[in-house]
Amino acid sequence: MPNIDFEKMQGLAPAVIQDDSSGEVLMLGFMNAEALQATLQSGYATFYSRTRAKLWMKGETSGNRLKVISLTTDCDQDSVLVRVLVEGEGKVCHEGTRSCFTRILPLDSVGGAQ
C-alpha cells in the first residue's frame, strides 16, 4: 500500500476527486487506511464517513460510482488526488449536481481583492 501519512489528521487523509478527462474538481472526501485499501482493491473510490464513522463507496446507492483512473499523493504524502471516470448519471454531489463545488464565495468575503 502507498505510504500515506494518515496520522497528521488523526487517521485521515483528504482525497480530492477530479474528473480524469476534464480536470474538473468534483468533491473532497476523506480516506483512512482501510478506505484507501478498499479503493485499491475495488478500483472504485471509497471513503471514510466522519459523520457515520464507517466506510462508504461513492455511488453505492445512486449508481454514480467513481471508477479510479489514477491515484497520486502530494509532496508531503498526506493527501490523495483521485482521478476518476464518473459512472451513472454523472451527479457526484448528494445535492444532485456534477460537482460539490458550486457555491461561489465573493473574493472580499475571504480577504481577497477589494
Side-chain angles (χ1 to χ4, degrees), residues 9-87:
M9 290 186 60
Q10 295 76 47
L12 299 175
V16 177
I17 308 303
Q18 184 178 36
D19 183 280
D20 186 58
S21 61
S22 71
E24 180 181 14
V25 175
L26 302 174
M27 65 172 280
L28 173 71
F30 289 89
M31 291 184 174
N32 61 8
E34 188 179 1
L36 179 58
Q37 186 63 36
T39 298
L40 292 169
Q41 289 177 345
S42 69
Y44 287 90
T46 302
F47 304 96
Y48 178 78
S49 170
R50 296 173 296 161
T51 55
R52 294 178 285 174
K54 68 176 193 171
L55 296 185
W56 62 282
M57 180 184 290
K58 180 69 182 153
E60 62 191 341
T61 55
S62 69
N64 296 314
R65 297 193 315 163
L66 304 174
K67 182 173 179 55
V68 175
I69 304 302
S70 68
L71 288 147
T72 54
T73 185
D74 69 334
C75 56
D76 293 327
Q77 292 187 295
D78 60 2
S79 300
V80 181
L81 175 63
V82 186
R83 294 185 63 99
V84 301
L85 169 68
V86 182
E87 296 182 344

